[in-house]
Amino acid sequence: MAAAAAPAPAESNVEFIRARSDKREYRRVVLPNALECLLISDSETDKAAACMEVGVGSFSDPEGLEGLAHFLEHMLFYASEKYPGEQDYTKYITEHGGSCNAYTSSETTNFYFDVNVANFEEALDRFAQFFIKPLMSQDAVLREIKAVDSEHKKNLLSDGWRMYQLQKHLASKDHPYHKFSTGSWETLETKPKERGLDIRQELLKFYENYSANLMHLVVYGKESLDCIQSFVERLFSDIKNTDQRSFKCPSQPLSEQHMQLVIKAIPISEGDYLKISWPVTPNIHFYKEGPSRYLSHLIGHEGEGSIFHIIKELGWAMNLSAGEGSDSAQYSLCSISMRLTDAGHEHMEDIIGLVFKYILLLKENGIHEWIFDELVAINETEFHYQDKVHPISYVTDTVSTMRLFPPEEWLVGASLPSKYAPNRINMILDELSAERVRILWESKKFKGSTDSVEPWYSTAYSVENVTPSMIQQWIQKAPTEKLCIPKPNIFIPKDLSLKEAHEKVKFPAILRKTPLSRLWYKPDMLFSTPKVHIIIDFHCPLTSHSPEAVISTSLFVDLLADYLNAYAYDAQIAGLFYSIYRTSAGFQVSVGGYNDKMRILLDAIMKHISNFEVKPNRFCALKETAVKDYQNFKFSQPYSQASYYLSLILEDQKWPLAEKLEALSKLEPDSLAKFMPHLLSKTFLECYIHGNIEPNEATSIVQEIEDTIFNTPNSVFKSMSPSQYLIKRVIMLENELKCYHQIEGLNQKNENSSVVQYIQVHLDDALSNIKLQLFALIASQPAFNQLRTVEQLGYIAGLSLRSDCGVWALEVVIQSTVKDPSHLDARIDEFFKMFESKIHELSDKDFKRNVKSLVDSKLEKFKNLWEESHFYWGEIEAGTLKFDRVESEVALLRELKKEEFIEFFDQHIRVGAPQRKTVSVQVFGGEHLAEFKKAIAEADTPKTYRITDIFGFKRSRPLYRSLKGGPGRITMD
């Protein structure tokens, strides 16, 4: 008898709802094992990607094995029966220009990667083995429990994690939402052992839940759909279908006893926060009507008459966000979150009263169809003119819609509500009641007055009841300022036509130059989108000459953004984005989005800049927040602290945080008002305009800005002579000398220590760049594997490239609770010594493969206007102006000989190399104080130098030359 043929995959001709600009091809396929797949063919792509979503998450963790789903996610990266080499998958992906990761959420676990298109089939085969026959060796199990534990320890002092777990803790104990989900040494090693459990056997048992019928796969390639389908059928059909039932969680995790509460919690960092939440019917049930979107738009609005505008003007809050969110289709929370000022903390009841007052207004005022229609128009424009993103982002976003929506809606999800249903909106509005509210209030002011401790993160808290009658009293005594719904949005684009580019322009060119400004211009030649990106860089050299100048400029920028917020909020809703931020030599305004109403927004920003005044009430609120933000640096991760000290060592114009905090504490409104005219009295505007805009309009925009900034009566801005142009530079370290800076962590309650080893190599130069990039490509995965996976030194461990003002370097970072920074630094040196033989023994075949991989990555096309714009602006800002950088570096790469590469390694990178220049910054956490005392008492060994005075050290070192205004480059005159 002939064997029965395997059932053929089911193909369906789905008519996908898609963006008008989307040229990709799509196909839905269901394999015989019930694995549902979305295939995407993009003939223009140079990266391929895939994402698998498994319908098993932390809610499925067995009782007493908290974190098992997350632990399994980690374990699948190790090895498989087909590819038994440890970390073979990660190694292959990294060596072929890709990246990979995974995450565990409540009901799903997602695995994803991208890779150069030429290597897609092989990468996909390795990926498929996660779900077919992973090995999960005993040795790997023990090592990866340590990695999970290290990840948990990294989060122990993070307020985000702490408050999230507290909210879960105060939920129904029989609901999986209540659980701890990350996992730790205690939950995955100590407690299972006490119960006589073999954790590897539990892991294998749990893996049986990974059934093909619970999986969704998105595959994105350059090949035809037929070709991609043949890959998928061949590689994924062996995943077992054990016909598992998908996890269905109970409905709401909050019962009556968990509502009508105020939870007072003590955070780690400075700052008071308020979060008002209600359990609501999930939006997914009514995604065509979008009731929660409508309400979030109004409650979270920041224009005049909004909740936020009123509490901001009263000096009570610094920000506000509102929205419905959940990681389950069965329950959801609608929340309003805000950062309070000290005054806001005192007026918490008034703020809650005002929120309920606004909800009351929405009920009395009725539902407005014009507001719904406005949101529909904004959403439709956003959907049809969406920017192309990297394939890895596209597959991870798209896979999440597959289990929730019918196939024709996979590409759109819930992003296009179109059915006006006031009854649905009123239904959700009724759920935002005083009977169902729960309030989380974070403040260090509660120290000494709490009576409970959350078990996993030890967060101190207390719970008080808040009855509807109490809230009624709060409503009555709330501020009387007039609340109102927003006015029609003037920024919604009407003209989405494309401007004609009269000549092919490959690179930005100078279109206009005066003593006050210079304009770089590039029309959009690639994306055919009605969008533009404009950068106005205010070069004001006096803004960085002292800590006082830096702080004053920062507050000036913060105040500008604060003044603009109510007016420009509508622009952001309508797809126009702007940012104003301080730079090393002034400040920068960046605006992007649809070109139609761009000038209205830009004009408003420039008028605010030229007519700047200090409003004392807003100054005080912003200063208070800035002080807390500076104080919070001590609570940042130790590797961030190490990175800060490194920047302080390297950069010639960087002021220490302590000096900036001191300057900030002394700054008053009148002193800022007097100081700003001086700081802005020398200014030059470097302008960049790129996108759907004609040259004459670009020129007129800059002319108008010049007139507004320099020629407005009473303007404090004055022109600057070329000699005053200020350039940030980097110190040059000494050959064959290893410098150390050892310091205690700023928060000794944090057990983590960290090291950043920095190896300075060269000033921007095409040939040296490609050699260093090639080394980083070859070494990054082995470094991660050795330092994290094999030696288990810490969850955060990696080797990467770093550039400071065009000075290129290698940087190795480790954060650890298990070893002190001196030991970590020695292990990094040991890795380089071990890796030396790998470089010297590199085969011709491997060398060529790595070169090809780097070439492929360099030739990756820009995905959207913003990527292209940021590349060209980066060249202008750095002063390098190598607009053909990719082409020139690729040409050199193709000619590079293996011997030249090895010689470069021997000269600059290997331990003991004649031109190796190193700084090791070591931050000692609370676990390693004894080691710190020992380390600072030790005498320096030959060819090492201990940096005890950072500024004395900096003064003793020469500087690299600046790339701006160098020989043959465009200077200001």
Side-chain angles (χ1 to χ4, degrees):
M1 263 174 79
E11 234 182 88
S12 57
N13 293 324
V14 177
E15 198 62 49
F16 293 100
I17 300 166
R18 56 202 287 176
R20 286 192 285 269
S21 55
D22 189 354
K23 299 184 182 75
R24 292 168 288 215
E25 294 181 327
Y26 299 88
R27 180 182 293 168
R28 172 184 179 261
V29 171
V30 181
L31 299 187
N33 59 2
L35 173 62
E36 192 169 27
C37 313
L38 173 64
L39 317 180
I40 306 172
S41 170
D42 179 358
S43 61
E44 297 176 353
T45 193
D46 28 39
K47 276 277 195 288
C51 180
M52 178 75 90
E53 181 174 273
V54 185
V56 179
S58 59
F59 279 1
S60 300
D61 283 345
E63 199 61 45
L65 288 171
E66 293 89 352
L68 193 64
H70 180 217
F71 178 40
L72 175 59
E73 170 228 300
H74 276 238
M75 284 304 304
L76 294 185
F77 281 80
Y78 267 83
S80 63
E81 195 174 85
K82 185 171 182 181
Y83 296 102
E86 198 165 279
Q87 297 288 329
D88 180 278
Y89 162 77
T90 316
K91 185 170 183 287
Y92 186 85
I93 297 284
T94 311
E95 285 178 352
H96 295 93
S99 60
C100 56
N101 213 331
Y103 63 88
T104 305
S105 56
S106 300
E107 295 181 357
T108 61
T109 305
N110 289 50
F111 303 85
Y112 52 94
F113 75 90
D114 67 355
V115 73
N116 291 336
V117 286
N119 310 102
F120 190 36
E121 189 179 359
E122 275 198 66
L124 207 54
D125 188 23
R126 285 163 167 79
F127 182 63
Q129 303 312 310
F130 279 40
F131 315 104
I132 296 170
K133 207 69 194 279
L135 288 181
M136 296 194 265
S137 71
Q138 185 64 46
D139 174 53
V141 163
L142 282 168
R143 278 184 283 140
E144 207 54 30
I145 292 174
K146 290 177 183 173
V148 170
D149 187 60
S150 176
E151 185 177 355
H152 173 56
K153 282 179 172 160
K154 170 184 72 72
N155 301 335
L156 277 174
L157 298 179
S158 159
D159 283 326
W161 283 96
R162 293 164 70 85
M163 296 306 156
Y164 176 55
Q165 189 62 42
L166 177 57
Q167 291 271 50
K168 287 167 38 140
H169 178 65
L170 297 170
S172 301
K173 286 185 169 51
D174 55 359
H175 195 289
Y177 176 76
H178 176 77
K179 292 182 189 179
F180 167 65
S181 57
T182 312
S184 65
W185 184 260
E186 182 189 7
T187 68
L188 297 170
E189 172 66 13
T190 310
K191 284 188 173 174
K193 254 196 180 145
E194 287 170 2
R195 291 163 55 200
L197 295 178
D198 179 333
I199 195 68
R200 181 171 179 269
Q201 289 307 313
E202 296 301 319
L203 197 63
L204 293 170
K205 200 191 300 178
F206 188 76
Y207 181 70
E208 290 169 14
N209 294 313
Y210 271 43
S211 173
N213 70 303
L214 296 183
M215 297 181 186
H216 292 93
L217 175 68
V218 181
V219 180
Y220 188 121
K222 192 181 183 77
E223 299 83 356
S224 68
L225 286 174
D226 288 345
C227 184
I228 295 170
Q229 183 169 336
S230 73
F231 289 171
V232 168
E233 287 170 11
R234 187 163 46 78
L235 301 175
F236 291 89
S237 291
D238 286 343
I239 298 174
K240 282 183 192 162
N241 177 10
T242 55
D243 205 23
Q244 297 286 328
R245 291 176 62 183
S246 64
F247 181 87
K248 281 281 179 282
C249 93
S251 53
Q252 285 290 352
L254 304 186
S255 60
E256 280 184 20
Q257 71 189 82
H258 304 112
M259 295 185 270
Q260 297 185 29
L261 299 180
V262 174
I263 305 155
K264 296 179 176 178
I266 300 174
I268 296 293
S269 54
E270 300 294 335
D272 296 4
Y273 293 87
L274 191 63
K275 185 171 190 173
I276 309 156
S277 302
W278 299 264
V280 295
T281 307
N283 194 62
I284 190 76
H285 295 186
F286 314 111
Y287 65 93
K288 293 269 174 73
E289 294 97 335
S292 290
R293 273 187 165 227
Y294 177 97
L295 292 172
S296 301
H297 167 68
L298 296 176
I299 295 169
H301 209 279
E302 299 183 18
E304 288 189 10
S306 65
I307 298 169
F308 178 63
H309 188 252
I310 288 170
I311 57 177
K312 188 190 93 164
E313 291 303 306
L314 289 165
W316 294 350
M318 299 309 297
N319 57 39
L320 181 145
S321 62
E324 181 243 15
S326 174
D327 42 16
S328 171
Q330 306 307 314
Y331 68 88
S332 196
L333 292 171
C334 179
S335 299
I336 305 170
S337 303
M338 57 192 91
R339 180 174 183 173
L340 305 180
T341 59
D342 289 343
H345 180 86
E346 301 304 318
H347 287 275
M348 184 279 277
E349 293 176 4
D350 296 326
I351 292 169
I352 304 279
L354 197 71
V355 166
F356 275 100
K357 218 172 174 178
Y358 192 77
I359 291 168
L360 211 56
L361 169 79
L362 295 181
K363 286 182 177 178
E364 290 168 357
N365 220 333
I367 309 304
H368 295 268
E369 192 166 4
W370 72 265
I371 295 177
F372 183 83
D373 290 344
E374 195 175 83
L375 288 173
V376 167
I378 289 167
N379 291 332
E380 284 199 346
T381 306
E382 185 182 352
F383 178 70
H384 287 296
Y385 292 95
Q386 61 185 274
D387 296 313
K388 206 168 181 183
V389 295
H390 284 261
I392 195 167
S393 301
Y394 195 65
V395 295
T396 49
D397 288 346
T398 308
V399 82
S400 62
T401 63
M402 289 176 70
R403 70 192 175 99
L404 299 172
F405 298 93
E408 60 272 16
E409 295 176 10
W410 283 351
L411 308 182
V412 62
S415 64
L416 285 184
S418 55
K419 224 157 103 183
Y420 178 59
N423 57 325
R424 290 280 186 232
I425 299 170
N426 277 317
M427 184 193 87
I428 302 293
L429 201 50
D430 287 341
E431 291 180 337
L432 308 184
S433 68
E435 286 77 15
R436 299 164 58 81
V437 75
R438 139 160 162 157
I439 298 157
L440 175 64
W441 189 9
E442 300 172 46
S443 177
K444 284 194 162 180
K445 299 178 183 76
F446 298 137
K447 273 189 178 169
S449 63
T450 57
D451 55 16
S452 303
V453 175
E454 187 279 318
W456 296 104
Y457 291 81
S458 302
T459 305
Y461 73 96
S462 60
V463 175
E464 295 171 13
N465 288 98
V466 53
T467 62
S469 61
M470 288 165 70
I471 285 180
Q472 196 53 46
Q473 290 169 16
W474 296 354
I475 293 171
Q476 283 161 5
K477 72 183 188 74
T480 54
E481 275 80 359
K482 187 154 174 56
L483 289 161
C484 62
I485 61 168
K487 296 184 177 73
N489 191 333
I490 62 163
F491 289 101
I492 295 175
K494 299 286 188 286
D495 178 7
L496 295 164
S497 62
L498 297 178
K499 309 285 165 78
E500 197 179 331
H502 297 291
E503 53 182 299
K504 296 282 181 207
V505 178
K506 193 175 181 187
F507 299 133
I510 295 175
L511 200 58
R512 179 182 186 275
K513 190 178 172 191
T514 73
L516 303 175
S517 72
R518 176 170 56 202
L519 165 61
W520 295 86
Y521 165 75
K522 186 182 181 302
D524 172 25
M525 309 299 295
L526 297 177
F527 303 107
S528 302
T529 184
K531 297 177 182 179
V532 68
H533 187 202
I534 300 175
I535 295 171
I536 312 296
D537 188 63
F538 286 72
H539 190 94
C540 313
L542 299 177
T543 57
S544 56
H545 72 261
S546 68
E548 290 75 15
V550 168
I551 283 300
S552 298
T553 309
S554 290
L555 263 176
F556 162 74
V557 163
D558 290 346
L559 284 164
L560 273 176
D562 186 83
Y563 299 164
L564 273 162
N565 189 64
Y567 173 78
Y569 183 75
D570 268 346
Q572 291 186 303
I573 289 172
L576 281 178
F577 302 98
Y578 72 97
S579 59
I580 308 170
Y581 50 91
R582 195 184 69 77
T583 62
S584 61
F587 65 99
Q588 200 170 99
V589 174
S590 173
V591 290
Y594 307 112
N595 51 275
D596 184 27
K597 305 291 174 70
M598 182 66 76
R599 280 189 86 157
I600 301 171
L601 176 62
L602 195 57
D603 183 51
I605 294 171
M606 293 304 149
K607 281 181 175 152
H608 270 82
I609 292 172
S610 66
N611 300 321
F612 178 77
E613 57 175 325
V614 180
K615 297 177 184 173
N617 64 326
R618 296 312 302 147
F619 171 90
C620 293
L622 285 157
K623 175 184 168 179
E624 179 195 301
T625 305
V627 166
K628 288 175 183 173
D629 287 345
Y630 275 115
Q631 290 170 337
N632 281 336
F633 182 70
K634 73 182 273 189
F635 304 113
S636 63
Q637 294 283 358
Y639 75 89
S640 299
Q641 295 178 26
S643 190
Y644 155 73
Y645 291 121
L646 178 59
S647 296
L648 206 55
I649 290 166
L650 294 174
E651 295 173 23
D652 69 327
Q653 291 165 32
K654 193 166 178 86
W655 306 102
L657 284 170
E659 291 181 19
K660 290 198 279 190
L661 182 56
E662 187 183 355
L664 179 59
S665 61
K666 292 175 182 172
L667 193 63
E668 295 300 332
D670 56 345
S671 55
L672 180 64
K674 284 176 191 158
F675 205 19
M676 284 320 297
H678 168 67
L679 297 184
L680 304 175
S681 63
K682 306 290 180 192
T683 298
F684 181 79
L685 306 181
E686 188 88 73
C687 310
Y688 177 73
I689 299 183
H690 179 181
N692 188 41
I693 191 164
E694 290 174 342
N696 57 348
E697 191 182 353
T699 305
S700 82
I701 284 173
V702 173
Q703 179 63 63
E704 201 174 299
I705 290 171
E706 248 189 43
D707 290 343
T708 305
I709 295 299
F710 293 103
N711 302 331
T712 303
N714 306 322
S715 172
V716 297
F717 290 90
K718 301 285 182 285
S719 67
M720 179 185 84
S721 61
S723 64
Q724 294 166 321
Y725 207 75
L726 181 75
I727 304 298
K728 186 166 78 171
R729 291 166 72 186
V730 169
I731 69 154
M732 188 183 288
L733 298 172
E734 192 172 317
N735 288 342
E736 295 189 275
L737 183 69
K738 183 168 188 179
C739 301
Y740 292 87
H741 180 60
Q742 295 168 318
I743 194 162
E744 290 178 75
L746 295 171
N747 176 21
Q748 282 299 302
K749 287 182 181 170
N750 194 328
E751 297 175 2
N752 290 279
S753 291
S754 186
V755 65
V756 175
Q757 190 181 113
Y758 168 92
I759 304 164
Q760 194 176 69
V761 183
H762 66 276
L763 185 64
D764 189 66
D765 163 78
L767 188 56
S768 298
N769 291 352
I770 60 163
K771 292 173 185 174
L772 188 63
Q773 289 160 8
L774 188 59
F775 176 78
L777 174 76
I778 294 169
S780 62
Q781 196 280 330
F784 176 86
N785 187 49
Q786 182 63 32
L787 301 172
R788 192 194 122 163
T789 310
V790 176
E791 298 189 30
Q792 282 298 322
L793 294 174
Y795 177 70
I796 294 170
L799 177 151
S800 58
L801 290 175
R802 173 177 173 138
S803 173
D804 299 83
C805 309
V807 176
W808 285 92
L810 286 170
E811 182 178 78
V812 185
V813 178
I814 307 177
Q815 182 166 295
S816 178
T817 54
V818 294
K819 296 292 180 184
D820 71 276
S822 298
H823 179 92
L824 300 177
D825 188 60
R827 296 314 303 158
I828 294 169
D829 283 349
E830 205 51 48
F831 166 75
F832 280 110
K833 286 174 189 170
M834 180 198 76
F835 204 64
E836 194 176 320
S837 60
K838 297 273 196 305
I839 295 294
H840 288 155
E841 292 161 15
L842 195 63
S843 69
D844 291 344
K845 182 184 169 190
D846 282 348
F847 176 74
K848 284 174 183 165
R849 177 175 51 74
N850 282 299
V851 166
K852 183 185 182 303
S853 178
L854 186 54
V855 165
D856 288 347
S857 293
K858 282 186 169 296
L859 291 175
E860 193 178 334
K861 295 187 281 284
F862 299 119
K863 298 291 176 287
N864 52 55
L865 185 75
W866 322 117
E867 277 190 20
E868 185 187 19
S869 187
H870 282 122
F871 171 78
Y872 289 129
W873 173 250
E875 293 292 332
I876 293 164
E877 195 171 36
T880 42
L881 305 178
K882 292 179 183 171
F883 299 137
D884 63 346
R885 179 181 293 274
V886 171
E887 295 88 335
S888 62
E889 290 187 354
V890 163
L892 288 167
L893 254 176
R894 286 176 169 151
E895 297 298 315
L896 184 66
K897 293 183 171 55
K898 186 176 79 172
E899 294 70 28
E900 294 174 70
F901 171 68
I902 293 171
E903 186 191 355
F904 176 83
F905 170 81
D906 286 342
Q907 284 295 310
H908 296 277
I909 299 170
R910 78 175 167 81
V911 176
Q915 293 181 55
R916 196 181 210 252
K917 302 185 277 281
T918 315
V919 172
S920 172
V921 178
Q922 302 173 11
V923 173
F924 288 73
E927 277 287 281
H928 303 122
L929 272 188
E931 289 88 343
F932 172 69
K933 285 170 182 159
K934 184 182 166 195
I936 58 172
E938 285 174 354
D940 290 354
T941 54
K943 295 191 176 179
T944 65
Y945 177 80
R946 190 185 306 274
I947 302 170
T948 50
D949 172 7
I950 288 177
F951 298 96
F953 174 74
K954 275 171 36 164
R955 283 190 287 270
S956 73
R957 298 300 313 149
L959 298 171
Y960 277 96
R961 70 177 176 82
S962 165
L963 294 168
K964 279 195 171 182
R969 294 192 171 86
I970 296 172
T971 56
M972 281 188 55
D973 48 11

